[in-house]
Amino acid sequence: MKVFVTGGAGYIGSITVEQLIKAGDEVIVFDNLYQGHRDAVHPAAIFIQGDLKDRAAIDAALAAHRPDAIMHFASYTLVGESMERPFLYLGDNVVNGVNLLQSALAHGVKKFILSSTANLFDKPERIPIDEDERIIPGSPYGESKNILERILYWLDRTQGMRYACLRYFNACGASEERGEHHEPETHIIPLVLQVALGQREEFCIFGDDYPTPDGTCIRDYIHVIDLANAHILALRALDGGSRTYNLGNGRGFSVKEVVETARAVTGHPIPTRVVGRRPGDPAVLVASSEKIRRELGWTPQYPDLRTIIETAWRWHRTHPHGYAK
Ligand code: UDP
C-alpha cells in the first residue's frame, strides 16, 4: 500500500514508518518538524515538510502521491500543555485534522488511522479500561482526540470513510535506530534515563498522594514497535469496517516502579524528589487490549517493563542527544 503519514518524523510516527517500510509498503511522510526530526524519517520514505494548517499543501501532496491510506500522527500531544494552552488543542489539533480529512475526501482517500489517547478516560469505572468505558476526556488534549473520533464516526456514516481510532496508553521504548526525543522532554522514561546519563540531577515525581498502593500514578507502558504493528494490522483490516481499539499491555506500573526498573537496567541510583501533582493526570490508566487481540490477533512482542526500558536505554546511550547534531 501507499501510506501518507502525518507526523512521520515524530516518535511514534517515525517508528511506524520504519515498520511499514519493513512490511513492503510505500510511505510519504508529511511533517512540519515542529517536534519531529528530519533524521528520524526512514531514508526509503518520501519526505514533505508541510503544515496541516495549510490546506493547499495537503492537497498538493495528496494529488501528487495519491496514497491508499492516511495515518495521522501529527498533533500537539501534551496533557499538561493543553491545560495551559487549550486552543492549541481545541483549535489547532481539531482544525488540522479537519483540513486533512477534507483533503483526503477530496482526493478519494477513504482509509484513515487516527492516533487517539487514553486521556479519553479521566474517571474510568473499570480497570483495565475497555472500549465500552464511558468517555470523559481528562484535558483539552483528550477532548481534541474525542472530537476527531466523533468526526470520523460521521464521515464513515456519510462519506464511506473507513477509519481506525487507536487509543494509545503510554508509548515508550525504541527501535534500533529510532527513539524518543522531545524538546522540552516531559515523558517519564526519557527523563529518568537522562538522569542515568548524567544530563539531569534528579527525577521529579509528580505527586505521591494518589489513591494507589505507593501513592504514585499508575500507567500502562506499551512498546512503540508493538504500537506501530497495531497500526499496520488495523490498516489491513479496514476493508472489514471501521474500528476503535484501546492499546496497552494490560498491566500497570507506578511512577516509582518505573524508576526502580530504570535503576536496575542502568545501574544508576537515579535520585528522585516528590513535587506537586501535574494538572490533568488521572491516578490509574490501564488498558484492556482484549478487543484488538481477539479481532486482529495483535500480540505485544515487548510486554514487560524491563525489556521496554532496556530498548529505550540502548537508544539513549547510543544517541545521548537524541537526533540533535
Ligand atoms: N511523571 C512524573 N514526573 C515527570 C514526568 C512524568 O512523575 O517528570 C509521571 C506523570 O505524572 C504520569 C507518568 O509519569 O503519571 C507518565 O507521564 P508521561 O508524561 O510520561 O505520560 P502521560 O501519562 O502524560 O501520557
Side-chain angles (χ1 to χ4, degrees):
M1 273 197 191
K2 208 188 239 196
V3 189
F4 188 82
V5 182
T6 75
Y11 170 46
I12 305 171
S14 68
I15 291 175
T16 305
V17 168
E18 178 185 305
Q19 296 298 312
L20 281 166
I21 286 169
K22 262 194 200 156
D25 296 289
E26 275 179 67
V27 179
I28 302 105
V29 168
F30 188 93
D31 196 302
N32 64 5
L33 300 183
Y34 167 69
Q35 276 283 348
H37 309 275
R38 180 65 184 89
D39 288 344
V41 179
H42 194 289
I46 293 169
F47 176 69
I48 299 169
Q49 185 168 355
D51 201 300
L52 294 171
K53 280 195 186 75
D54 182 356
R55 171 73 200 273
I58 311 169
D59 283 338
L62 294 183
H65 296 287
R66 313 201 72 73
D68 303 299
I70 294 175
M71 290 190 181
H72 178 39
F73 294 92
S75 173
Y76 295 101
T77 58
L78 302 175
V79 167
E81 180 183 60
S82 82
M83 301 295 277
E84 283 161 22
R85 302 182 64 192
F87 286 110
L88 219 44
Y89 292 77
L90 299 170
D92 295 30
N93 268 4
V94 174
V95 171
N96 293 350
V98 168
N99 280 342
L100 178 63
L101 285 163
Q102 283 182 320
S103 186
L105 288 172
H107 291 86
V109 185
K110 294 202 171 175
K111 290 186 173 164
F112 196 94
I113 312 269
L114 176 71
S115 300
S116 188
T117 175
N119 197 251
L120 298 184
F121 307 114
D122 195 42
K123 297 191 172 55
E125 280 169 15
R126 281 160 305 149
I127 300 283
I129 301 167
D130 66 23
E131 291 78 0
D132 295 328
E133 180 64 47
R134 193 150 59 108
I135 291 179
I136 304 177
S139 68
Y141 165 60
E143 188 71 79
S144 73
K145 296 294 183 174
N146 184 39
I147 293 167
L148 290 174
E149 287 201 2
R150 295 304 302 161
I151 291 171
L152 282 167
Y153 169 82
W154 286 107
L155 295 184
D156 178 314
R157 285 187 61 176
T158 63
Q159 311 292 316
M161 177 68 88
R162 295 291 173 261
Y163 67 85
C165 297
L166 302 182
R167 296 159 173 172
Y168 313 157
F169 281 60
N170 287 65
C172 48
S175 71
E176 292 288 332
E177 293 176 53
R178 293 175 180 81
E180 188 167 8
H181 174 187
H182 299 102
E183 278 184 32
E185 189 53 75
T186 63
H187 293 98
I188 180 168
I189 290 176
L191 285 175
V192 163
L193 296 180
Q194 284 175 3
V195 180
L197 282 171
Q199 296 174 352
R200 281 175 198 269
E201 297 279 298
E202 61 183 6
F203 173 73
C204 291
I205 296 175
F206 293 148
D208 67 352
D209 56 350
Y210 284 92
T212 60
D214 69 18
T216 64
C217 286
I218 292 177
R219 293 288 179 273
D220 183 334
Y221 295 91
I222 171 170
H223 198 278
V224 62
I225 292 180
D226 289 325
L227 268 187
N229 288 333
H231 286 74
I232 297 176
L233 287 173
L235 176 66
R236 310 279 190 248
L238 283 186
D239 283 331
S242 296
R243 47 200 71 232
T244 295
Y245 295 118
N246 293 355
L247 274 175
N249 270 318
R251 243 201 98 182
F253 294 94
S254 71
V255 171
K256 284 186 178 165
E257 286 173 317
V258 171
V259 174
E260 269 315 314
T261 308
R263 286 177 178 144
V265 167
T266 62
H268 189 284
I270 310 184
T272 60
R273 182 159 57 97
V274 177
V275 298
R277 291 183 178 194
R278 181 172 66 179
D281 269 344
V284 181
L285 289 173
V286 178
S288 163
S289 295
E290 278 316 304
K291 187 177 170 205
I292 189 167
R293 287 172 185 263
R294 191 175 63 243
E295 293 187 3
L296 303 187
W298 177 74
T299 321
Q301 293 168 34
Y302 302 93
D304 77 83
L305 184 63
R306 185 172 174 123
T307 319
I308 289 174
I309 293 181
E310 279 168 358
T311 68
W313 179 230
R314 183 167 5 121
W315 193 78
H316 284 282
R317 261 195 322 184
T318 52
H319 302 76
H321 303 289
Y323 294 104
K325 292 262 161 50

